[in-house]
Amino acid sequence: MSDYKMDIKGYIGLSEYSDIHDYFGIIDKNDRFRITIEKSDDNEIKIINSMLKKFGFFIYEQGYEGEGNYYINAFKI
C-alpha cells in the first residue's frame, strides 16, 4: 500500500483536470490518496469527487482545513 498526495493551488482549468485524471490512473488498488485544493468552489469539488469515483476510489473523509483549503482523503478499491 502506497500513499499519494496532490496539492492544487490556484485556478483549475481543463489542462489541470487532464493532469489530475492522468495522476489518478497511476494509483493502484489499496493505495491511499490525499488531494488538497487551495482555492476551491463547490463545482470543482464535485468534479474531482466524480473523477475519484470514476477511477474506483472510496472517499472516506473530506472537508475544510483550518487554513481554508479543501481536502479529500480516499483510497482505491
Side-chain angles (χ1 to χ4, degrees), residues 4-21:
Y4 292 88
K5 182 177 180 184
M6 176 181 272
D7 294 322
I8 300 173
K9 298 179 183 198
Y11 174 76
I12 301 176
L14 291 178
S15 175
E16 289 77 20
Y17 283 117
S18 178
D19 292 341
I20 294 167
H21 181 273

Side-chain angles (χ1 to χ4, degrees), residues 38-75:
E38 181 183 58
K39 296 179 181 177
S40 63
D41 63 35
D42 289 341
N43 192 46
E44 290 173 340
I45 293 166
K46 287 178 188 175
I47 292 170
I48 291 173
N49 279 337
S50 176
M51 291 171 68
L52 283 164
K53 290 175 184 173
K54 177 184 172 191
F55 273 90
F57 285 88
F58 173 75
I59 299 168
Y60 63 90
E61 184 179 37
Q62 61 183 321
Y64 286 96
E65 298 177 320
E67 305 85 39
N69 297 331
Y70 196 84
Y71 71 93
I72 303 169
N73 290 327
F75 65 88

